Amino acid sequence: MRDRRGVRDARRAQEFGGFVAGAAGRLLHTATLLTAEAPDANPRARRLLTRALAHTYAHWDHPRGEDPYDRARGHLATHYAHEVWHRSRPQGPLAALSPRERLVLVLRLYEGLADEQTAALLGLPTDRVRALCDRATALVLHPPPRPVPRAGGPLLRRLQP
């Protein structure tokens, strides 16, 4: 009995290791886009990916026939959506987006999910997903102008008699 369990566990670990070797790079890039971190300095994205892969491994044997990449991507999106990731200021072209807009944009354009799949994954109406994607795309393509600092700001006014 123990021999069968050992063989099954070894097979499971080998299958999962092959999955991670093939999918971890793309999933890490997805997590990095979601957290809007730099690709070479992305600790939050790595933590997010680790949680998603741990959850995928814990349920590796359950429903056969389900694509493990879809499962990992789903956990990645769910974990991102339920966490408060705005504690540090994101940088880069996706920094102007809200976390929900960033999530929809990455799932739709980078991962290639359809509106309906994205809506089902996030629990949103399809029309809301389309509106979020359109707004996020417009913000990325045409960012709002940055405010120009005024000369004689509050510090200068305090110094004047």
Side-chain angles (χ1 to χ4, degrees):
M1 185 68 140
R2 288 183 187 210
D3 290 336
R4 277 193 229 164
R5 176 178 260 172
V7 168
R8 186 179 67 220
D9 289 346
R11 180 183 46 81
R12 179 181 189 215
Q14 185 177 14
E15 287 174 359
F16 185 75
F19 164 72
V20 170
R26 184 168 172 97
L27 287 169
L28 178 60
H29 190 71
T30 299
T32 303
L33 290 172
L34 289 175
T35 58
E37 295 175 305
D40 56 342
N42 54 2
R44 290 181 5 214
R46 290 178 183 278
R47 283 193 304 269
L48 186 63
L49 175 62
T50 301
R51 287 184 63 194
L53 288 176
H55 200 280
T56 302
Y57 183 72
H59 298 281
W60 188 255
D61 291 329
H62 293 299
R64 286 290 187 194
E66 183 182 357
D67 184 15
Y69 185 82
D70 288 341
R71 174 177 283 219
R73 181 181 54 214
H75 291 302
L76 193 73
T78 303
H79 289 195
Y80 173 77
H82 288 99
E83 293 291 330
V84 180
W85 289 105
H86 58 1
R87 292 184 182 159
S88 67
R89 191 83 179 126
Q91 302 293 318
L94 300 182
L97 303 178
S98 72
R100 182 174 278 178
E101 289 169 340
R102 201 174 316 131
L103 179 59
V104 168
L105 189 72
V106 169
L107 290 175
R108 289 281 297 116
L109 300 182
Y110 180 71
E111 286 292 325
L113 292 181
D115 290 331
E116 295 78 16
Q117 288 176 301
T118 304
L121 183 64
L122 302 178
L124 296 171
T126 305
D127 293 339
R128 179 73 177 135
V129 168
R130 285 189 192 117
L132 284 167
C133 189
D134 290 345
R135 176 176 156 70
T137 304
L139 281 172
V140 169
L141 294 177
H142 308 288
R146 293 184 178 189
V148 178
R150 294 185 311 160
L155 179 62
L156 187 57
R157 275 186 248 138
R158 275 189 259 145
L159 295 175
Q160 293 175 345

